[in-house]
Amino acid sequence: MSLRAVREVAPVDGDEEFRREVREWLAENLTGELRGAGGPGRENEAFPQRLAFARRLAADGWSTLAWPVEHGGRGAPLSRQVIFHEEYAKAGAPSRVDHIGTTMVGPTLMALGTPGQQRRFLPRIAAVDELWCQGYSEPGAGSDLAGVTTRARLDGDQWVLTGQKVWTSLAHVADWCFVLARTEPVPPGASRHAGLSYLLVPMRQPGVTVRPIRQSTGDSEFNEVFFDGARTGRDLVVGEPGQGWRVAMATLAFERGAATVGQQVGFQRDLDDLVDLARRTGAAADPALRERLTRAWIDLSALRAYTMRALSAAEPPPTTASVIKLLWTRWRQGVGELAMDVLGPAGAAAVAGDADVERWRRFFLFSRADTIYGGSNEIQRGIVAERVLGLPRQDRR
Ligand SMILES: Cc1cc2nc3c(=O)[nH]c(=O)nc-3n(C[C@H](O)[C@H](O)[C@H](O)COP(=O)(O)OP(=O)(O)OC[C@H]3O[C@@H](n4cnc5c(N)ncnc54)[C@H](O)[C@@H]3O)c2cc1C
């Protein structure tokens, strides 16, 4: 397939008009202070302004573009979702504060929630009235997620939760958390995936304590979350009690999609800025750095072509998300290291107040996390090893 063909993602009539509509909206609504704000390693940046912007997007129907019309979305085809994310990233619009709600728990509730749960939560997720966080990982359960030990038991018409979650992104601003908890012991001889439940838990209550974790960047974007007698309604379990594993996996499958394209437009902006920095500092004269900058451009072009082809396939291979994640995380870590070399000794020195040094140091440091969250790269390679190469399954007991 030619590069030209894969760029098109099944266009439909009116796409170009739609692109103009997105551009005009952004030109009217995007003010200077919001440009480029937020993103990996910068989630706390201009948070109130980004929240207000997300609500404006929501009010005009942009944040739920991909949601079906019957759930209050616009039911946009994939080509328009891609256009929206491309234009959003090209304009330098801020990183979204509502993505856990709109792209993870919202679609999960549409697919597996009760009508009551849908009525209660979907309108507030769509309007960005309520923010969400994801309560999966625990000190003893990350890659091995079925090992969660947070427990929930029924007390009358409420679930009572006890346990600890960790690395919970944005828990410090979230109103609700979707929690994977053990509600039944593992039946003898059964897999540990049985007996887990997917609970919707309000964060602002006495039984929930959120403790920020300070990262190497100096910021705190994720947290420890302690449940000590926290409560939620009996009806706020998604799917059957004890069948939460299936729901938890469905949420992860919803996490990625057309937004990947916008993410890659953002990568292109990062690379353009790094090339500009190399020109300004004179690093562009170094043949080794020139070669690495060029290779970063080629690798990004290959990543975008692969992504477009996968998105436009009628049935993308089940390992698509793993391959894309392996490619982009390696790319970002390589660019982080390259940026440190472009900066030279200034990158390592404690130069406070130099915007270039601060930006690229943060980029470099946070990119270390890219190969861990959202399923570590070892886990992604394991998926490809088993599903594509047909290598024997790992013993996970
Ligand atoms: C920035 C960031 C944000 C996050 N946000 C959230 C969040 O909002 N909510 C949430 O629930 N979690 C979140 N996490 C947690 C994340 O999902 C886990 O860190 C991740 O699943 C890895 O788990 P772990 O840290 O327990 O490491 P472990 O699972 O203990 O892994 C340690 C190392 O062993 C390797 N390893 C483990 N198992 C295997 C295997 N079977 N084969 C080969 N290698 C293996 C791993 O790749 C890793 O290198 C976040 C993490 C980060 C870094």
Side-chain angles (χ1 to χ4, degrees):
M1 194 182 287
S2 74
L3 281 187
R4 194 184 179 80
V6 297
R7 283 182 57 77
E8 287 173 0
V9 190
V12 291
D13 278 351
D15 273 359
E16 282 316 304
E17 201 183 314
F18 176 79
R19 189 182 291 279
R20 264 198 307 280
E21 194 194 335
V22 178
R23 278 190 192 152
E24 279 167 19
W25 191 92
L26 287 167
E28 264 170 43
N29 288 277
L30 192 57
T31 52
E33 59 177 2
L34 281 166
R35 267 208 183 82
R42 294 158 52 204
E43 286 297 351
N44 291 321
E45 204 172 86
F47 193 87
Q49 294 88 333
R50 283 164 55 219
L51 178 60
F53 185 73
R55 289 181 173 154
R56 285 213 298 283
L57 276 171
D60 288 342
W62 297 110
S63 45
T64 49
L65 201 60
W67 285 21
V69 176
E70 65 266 31
H71 289 301
R74 285 213 204 171
L78 191 58
S79 66
R80 298 222 175 142
Q81 296 171 39
V82 167
I83 289 171
F84 174 78
H85 288 294
E86 270 179 357
E87 293 301 324
Y88 191 89
K90 268 189 213 156
S95 156
R96 296 269 291 273
V97 297
D98 56 311
H99 62 281
I100 300 178
T102 46
T103 68
M104 296 179 81
V105 72
T108 305
L109 292 175
M110 285 178 230
L112 300 165
T114 62
Q117 291 166 352
Q118 293 172 352
R119 272 194 306 276
R120 161 67 184 83
F121 292 108
L122 293 180
R124 292 182 213 191
I125 292 172
V128 199
D129 277 346
E130 290 175 339
L131 296 177
W132 285 77
C133 62
Q134 176 189 17
Y136 282 12
S137 305
E138 297 184 359
S143 307
D144 183 22
L145 188 57
V148 297
T149 58
T150 292
R151 287 179 187 279
R153 64 174 172 81
L154 272 176
D155 176 24
D157 60 357
Q158 292 193 315
W159 293 100
V160 182
L161 286 86
T162 313
Q164 185 198 342
K165 297 291 172 182
V166 72
W167 318 124
T168 321
S169 300
L170 300 174
H172 53 294
V173 289
D175 303 291
W176 287 85
C177 184
F178 52 95
V179 175
L180 191 62
R182 182 153 292 287
T183 48
E184 296 158 25
V186 185
S191 130
R192 288 174 309 152
H193 303 113
L196 296 168
S197 298
Y198 187 106
L199 299 168
L200 310 175
V201 180
M203 291 293 283
R204 300 180 202 281
Q205 57 165 314
V208 176
T209 305
V210 176
R211 199 181 289 163
I213 299 173
R214 195 172 143 91
Q215 300 159 207
S216 60
T217 56
D219 207 351
S220 297
E221 300 180 352
F222 50 35
N223 307 269
E224 293 177 289
V225 176
F226 298 88
F227 299 111
D228 185 12
R231 288 178 175 264
T232 196
R234 184 182 190 133
D235 57 336
L236 295 187
V237 55
V238 184
E240 292 299 314
Q243 305 287 314
W245 184 259
R246 192 170 75 90
V247 187
M249 292 304 108
T251 299
L252 294 183
F254 287 124
E255 189 177 0
R256 304 171 190 94
T260 312
V261 174
Q263 182 193 37
Q264 292 172 11
V265 175
F267 292 168
Q268 186 66 55
R269 287 168 59 90
D270 287 331
L271 183 59
D272 292 346
D273 290 348
L274 185 59
V275 169
D276 180 54
L277 178 70
R279 282 211 191 91
R280 281 189 281 122
T281 59
D286 178 328
L289 292 179
R290 289 165 71 94
E291 185 182 323
R292 285 166 66 194
L293 286 166
T294 310
R295 206 179 302 156
W297 182 86
I298 291 168
D299 288 349
L300 183 54
S301 306
L303 168 60
R304 291 194 69 188
Y306 179 86
T307 305
M308 287 302 198
R309 190 175 60 182
L311 281 180
S312 49
E315 270 185 55
T319 49
T320 298
S322 297
V323 174
I324 291 176
K325 191 188 181 225
L326 286 164
L327 292 175
W328 77 253
T329 52
R330 196 177 57 181
W331 185 87
R332 250 178 65 92
Q333 288 191 345
V335 168
E337 286 159 19
L338 178 53
M340 289 299 99
D341 292 337
V342 166
L343 285 170
V351 187
D354 181 317
D356 284 328
V357 172
E358 286 188 8
R359 172 189 173 173
W360 290 108
R361 190 190 289 152
R362 189 179 282 259
F363 184 107
F364 166 71
L365 289 172
F366 195 83
S367 70
R368 312 315 299 170
D370 293 341
T371 48
I372 302 171
Y373 64 83
S376 75
N377 280 26
E378 288 78 12
I379 295 298
Q380 307 295 349
R381 276 193 287 273
I383 292 171
V384 176
E386 286 173 17
R387 299 202 194 157
V388 179
L389 304 182
L391 299 183
R393 272 181 73 79
Q394 269 193 331
D395 177 16
R396 297 202 183 93
R397 283 176 295 279

